[in-house]
Amino acid sequence: MKNVMGVIYTGENDARLRELTLIRAIAALPVAGRYRVIDFLVSSMVNSGMKNVGVITQKNYHSLMDHLGSGKEWDLHGKKDGLHILPPFLTRENIGVYSGTLDALRSNTDYLIRSKQEYVVFSGSEIIYNAKLDEMVKYHKETGADVTVMYTRDPAMQRDEHGVYLTVGENGSVEDVEVEPTHPSLECTYMEVVVMKRELLRFLVDKAVAHGLHDFRRDILLPMIQEGKSTVNAWEYTGPCWRLDSVQSFFKFNMDVLEADVRANLFDKERPVYTKVRDDMPTRYGENANVINSLVADGCVIEGTVENSILARGVCVAPDAHVKNCIVMQDGQIHSGAYIENCILDKQAIIKRNARLIGPAAYPIVIAKNVVI
């Protein structure tokens, strides 16, 4: 795997996540109390043995850069290779806004040229997974395919008018593909992860951009499969995965993590998920604190009731406050007598004394960063 590099594109369309992505990319979304979405992707690559990982950013990337830092939490801060954050920059050809994944890769051609690895794993950032990418690369080499894509058979990953869906033959080859169909009719969902030789990726990107094309899936993957001139194989991922493309899917993922068996599968002891460390004090529980089936990060102060919820670092729940089925991000405050249910509170949100916020489980209330209710 020393001969394999990783590239993560973090510029996905985030309009359906509303307030949650006003100030950050999807990859920087806080999840499961202590983590960000990017942690799962980078950790999968590092656990698979990759030492050279590039993160292509598009917009609202300050939070992402602050979180990743030098990459030391993922052991990507050595003298050779390491973590490379690749923000957009202005040139005559590039106006700083990518029209698609191909534009993003074309603007970072220099990074691909400087890298010495023979193979590249290219991943999107809106799907959470903890995959054995080394096994995927091994499968790619053994089959001799030009391109290998990762897919899942999980029906919960399918969306109307969003995503790519495949038919995979018995020999592992991709026989048919649909790109953003109105209603998906194919069983397998493409997980936005692909393996190929680095030089092949460079050639395909240059050729496509020269013809005015922008989207990797529609303009490269689809013609390769339909024309049959190249071998495109598929590798099945059988672990848990979630597509974070809406407020509801973000809420569902966090609620799913409250289940012990889901956590055991996602946070595999042999493939740990690394994140930035804040070095907070342990959480302090008051005499009348009542915490039921919740994930509580370090640095919290809990004196009220917390039920079926996820609390990030530094959250304060005052006496007689009640938090139920909620996600409270870093340094949130729930004052005395307040009751919140089915809510997502972004960083530093404050719920004042005796306030009541009750949202439907199917469409939780979102409180933006630094808002006081």
Side-chain angles (χ1 to χ4, degrees):
M1 290 298 291
K2 291 180 180 179
N3 204 23
V4 183
M5 63 182 289
V7 178
I8 302 171
Y9 175 65
T10 66
E12 279 94 355
N13 182 10
D14 55 16
R16 295 176 64 188
L17 283 155
R18 301 185 0 246
E19 294 91 343
L20 295 174
T21 49
L22 283 177
I23 57 170
R24 61 171 75 90
I26 293 176
L29 269 175
V31 292
R34 308 180 47 148
Y35 300 90
R36 306 274 185 140
V37 172
I38 193 75
D39 294 337
F40 296 88
L41 315 180
V42 176
S43 296
S44 289
M45 292 182 173
V46 169
N47 290 331
S48 298
M50 298 181 207
K51 297 297 183 183
N52 180 14
V53 177
V55 179
I56 301 175
T57 62
Q58 162 88 303
K59 58 181 180 179
N60 296 338
Y61 53 83
H62 179 271
S63 178
L64 189 63
M65 292 179 67
D66 177 67
H67 179 73
L68 291 173
S70 65
K72 66 177 182 179
E73 279 83 2
W74 298 268
D75 195 25
L76 289 173
H77 62 305
K79 291 183 178 179
K80 295 183 179 180
D81 293 325
L83 178 70
H84 301 268
I85 299 175
L86 307 167
F89 55 93
L90 295 172
T91 65
R92 291 180 180 178
E93 296 81 18
N94 176 36
I95 60 172
V97 178
Y98 302 135
S99 300
T101 48
L102 295 181
D103 297 305
L105 288 166
R106 178 66 180 84
S107 294
N108 290 283
T109 297
D110 286 347
Y111 169 63
L112 293 175
I113 293 173
R114 291 197 313 269
S115 299
K116 304 301 181 185
Q117 289 78 12
E118 183 180 2
Y119 294 91
V120 57
V121 176
F122 181 56
S123 172
S125 65
E126 73 169 21
I127 296 177
I128 287 181
Y129 58 82
N130 190 356
K132 297 178 179 179
L133 296 175
D134 47 336
E135 293 186 2
M136 181 181 179
V137 172
K138 181 181 177 183
Y139 173 79
H140 173 75
K141 293 178 179 179
E142 289 175 347
T143 58
D146 296 307
V147 177
T148 299
V149 300
M150 183 194 295
Y151 75 96
T152 178
R153 296 183 184 272
D154 184 356
M157 290 288 287
Q158 300 207 343
R159 303 283 193 276
D160 290 347
E161 300 180 351
H162 187 68
V164 177
Y165 306 95
L166 315 168
T167 296
V168 180
E170 293 183 2
N171 62 348
S173 63
V174 180
E175 298 176 348
D176 193 12
V177 61
E178 294 177 340
V179 179
E180 297 179 350
T182 303
H183 301 293
S185 61
L186 305 182
E187 178 186 11
C188 304
T189 302
Y190 168 54
M191 290 183 59
E192 313 293 342
V193 182
V194 60
V195 178
M196 67 177 77
K197 288 191 174 181
R198 177 173 57 89
E199 287 301 320
L200 175 60
L201 178 63
R202 279 186 54 208
F203 170 77
L204 292 173
V205 169
D206 287 342
K207 184 178 178 182
V209 172
H211 286 82
L213 305 177
H214 304 286
D215 187 72
F216 179 85
R217 304 172 306 174
R218 188 180 298 278
D219 299 326
I220 288 184
L221 204 57
L222 183 63
M224 288 180 80
I225 295 168
Q226 289 182 331
E227 294 171 5
K229 295 180 181 178
S230 303
T231 306
V232 180
N233 282 357
W235 180 79
E236 183 175 6
Y237 171 70
T238 56
C241 52
W242 294 263
R243 189 193 296 275
L244 302 188
D245 61 342
S246 65
V247 171
Q248 293 90 333
S249 61
F250 173 80
F251 187 72
K252 182 181 184 302
F253 165 69
N254 284 277
M255 293 297 106
D256 286 349
V257 171
L258 290 175
E259 299 178 18
D261 56 338
V262 172
R263 288 198 304 275
N265 287 329
L266 182 60
F267 298 97
D268 190 334
K269 292 181 180 179
E270 296 180 359
R271 308 184 70 79
V273 180
Y274 305 100
T275 189
K276 181 181 179 181
V277 178
R278 193 169 116 164
D279 291 328
D280 257 330
M281 297 289 287
T283 290
R284 179 165 63 85
Y285 297 90
E287 290 184 6
N288 298 316
N290 183 23
V291 181
I292 306 166
N293 189 38
S294 297
L295 286 180
V296 181
D298 45 335
C300 296
V301 178
I302 300 177
E303 299 179 284
T305 299
V306 179
E307 182 181 352
N308 261 6
S309 297
I310 292 180
L311 307 187
R313 298 178 175 103
V315 172
C316 294
V317 180
D320 299 321
H322 194 139
V323 178
K324 182 178 180 181
N325 299 341
C326 291
I327 302 164
V328 184
M329 297 185 193
Q330 192 169 299
D331 299 322
Q333 297 181 30
I334 317 299
H335 289 183
S336 179
Y339 181 91
I340 59 173
E341 182 177 351
N342 297 324
C343 296
I344 301 171
L345 274 59
D346 210 330
K347 287 185 174 183
Q348 287 103 41
I350 299 175
I351 307 299
K352 302 291 278 186
R353 181 186 297 268
N354 297 325
R356 292 179 65 84
L357 279 178
I358 304 175
Y363 204 83
I365 296 172
V366 179
I367 307 300
K369 184 178 179 179
N370 293 323
V371 170
V372 178
I373 301 292

